[in-house]
Amino acid sequence: MIEKIKISDRLYMLKDSMDCYSNLIIGSEKALLFDTGSGADDLKTAVRQITGLPLLVIASHGHFDHIGGSYQFDEVYLSCKDRNIVESYEVEKLREWIGKEDYDPKGFQRIKDLDFDGFSLGDIEGQIIELPGHSRGSVGVYFPEMKLLLSGDSLTPVMCLFFKNHGTVLDELETLEKVKKLGVAHFLTAHSDKIMNVSILDRMTECLKNCKGKKFLKYRYSKPPFSEGYFHLYSMKDEPVGVIVESLEEVSE
Ligand SMILES: [Zn+2]
């Protein structure tokens, strides 16, 4: 089941049964679907219940819970830097994770290289922003008129640098600095319904700058893909900020 959350006439969050939130942005001539979810649910019907406009579909990155629904759409654009993730998935594992015995990853053939850096939905323009860290091919979409950035998993306040094709703490730090210069007011992440205020990026930056030699606890992600790493909690406040790395090497003194 897809849960539709309307933020405004032109912005929706579509939450699937694996808690992945795809974003739908509606322009005057076209609509953007950012991420296709895990593939367990009928995302396309949910989109079509909201808009009949031609769709541009872009995946924030190559993890299965963002590209799994690709089979429902004609074409899905993904950074070529995450192509290796798509190619690494085994059918049986995906079926187990998604909980669909007949899941067919043939839909991955509809994934094309993201070869443009901007697009128009008619009355709003979107810019593709590379956001490496969570994965090397992570991208965001920035809408300057709305000062809104769709960020996939790359700006989750607990920064996850331990899944397939992840980058380094330094990559994530550079991504944060890049986003701070864009003029973003708010951003969305793919596993939360919160509209994040850009000010949290300062706390995330401090976390990364100060995490060397700090306490990291062994951590296992409780849902597929059950990756393991080490978790450092930097601060709680209204939204917990921290980082999870795959190996302690880059954060030891
Ligand atoms: Zn991810």
Side-chain angles (χ1 to χ4, degrees):
M1 258 292 276
I2 299 284
E3 184 186 338
K4 303 192 210 70
I5 303 164
K6 183 176 181 178
I7 308 297
S8 72
D9 284 342
R10 61 183 359 164
L11 171 59
Y12 287 78
M13 295 179 186
L14 303 170
K15 181 189 186 188
D16 78 2
S17 54
M18 292 198 72
D19 295 338
C20 183
Y21 292 75
S22 302
N23 305 131
L24 182 66
I25 303 273
I26 300 167
S28 57
E29 287 165 28
K30 269 187 184 182
L32 168 75
L33 178 66
F34 191 56
D35 280 337
T36 68
S38 63
D41 309 88
D42 187 355
L43 180 60
K44 186 161 188 186
T45 297
V47 169
R48 285 303 175 217
Q49 285 165 350
I50 298 169
T51 178
L53 286 172
L55 278 184
L56 170 64
V57 187
I58 298 175
S60 62
H61 63 296
H63 291 154
F64 80 99
D65 51 335
H66 300 258
I67 56 162
S70 300
Y71 67 93
Q72 299 172 19
F73 303 95
D74 295 335
E75 50 187 27
V76 177
Y77 291 97
L78 171 75
S79 165
C80 62
K81 293 176 187 165
D82 270 4
R83 171 68 63 182
N84 61 337
I85 307 180
V86 181
E87 286 165 359
S88 74
Y89 285 126
E90 294 161 23
V91 189
E92 289 308 320
K93 268 274 170 289
L94 288 172
R95 287 179 177 167
E96 189 187 313
W97 290 346
I98 297 165
K100 257 187 131 167
E101 276 174 27
D102 58 348
Y103 182 76
D104 186 352
K106 268 214 275 291
F108 290 169
Q109 289 165 8
R110 300 182 185 195
I111 297 173
K112 298 189 167 172
D113 285 348
L114 180 61
D115 56 359
F116 48 91
D117 54 18
F119 57 86
S120 172
L121 300 179
D123 56 349
I124 23 174
E125 313 284 317
Q127 298 170 359
I128 306 291
I129 311 289
E130 289 191 51
L131 303 172
H134 177 76
S135 73
R136 292 190 169 86
S138 283
V139 301
V141 176
Y142 183 46
F143 293 96
E145 293 100 325
M146 298 190 269
K147 294 185 177 292
L148 175 73
L149 176 70
L150 312 179
S151 72
D153 286 351
S154 52
L155 300 177
T156 55
V158 172
M159 296 165 276
C160 295
L161 308 177
F162 73 123
F163 294 119
K164 275 182 199 263
N165 202 33
H166 66 82
T168 63
V169 166
L170 191 59
D171 294 333
E172 183 71 16
L173 208 43
E174 285 172 0
T175 282
L176 293 175
E177 296 300 345
K178 182 199 269 187
V179 173
K180 285 197 253 180
K181 288 183 191 132
L182 284 177
V184 176
H186 297 98
F187 64 92
L188 304 184
T189 60
H191 295 282
S192 165
D193 59 1
K194 282 191 189 156
I195 299 173
M196 303 282 178
N197 190 291
V198 76
S199 62
I200 197 168
L201 298 181
D202 290 330
R203 214 149 41 94
M204 291 161 67
T205 306
E206 286 164 25
C207 167
L208 295 182
K209 282 188 172 164
N210 296 301
C211 70
K212 270 206 168 165
K214 293 283 160 49
K215 189 163 111 184
F216 277 81
L217 298 172
K218 187 100 182 96
Y219 177 83
R220 182 173 186 266
Y221 196 64
S222 63
K223 290 188 284 191
F226 307 109
S227 302
E228 294 185 349
Y230 297 87
F231 179 28
H232 168 64
L233 178 66
Y234 178 67
S235 72
M236 285 297 286
K237 294 197 186 164
D238 49 333
E239 180 73 33
V241 166
V243 61
I244 308 171
V245 293
E246 184 175 12
S247 134
L248 287 175
E249 256 167 66
E250 63 171 321
V251 291
S252 56
E253 281 190 296

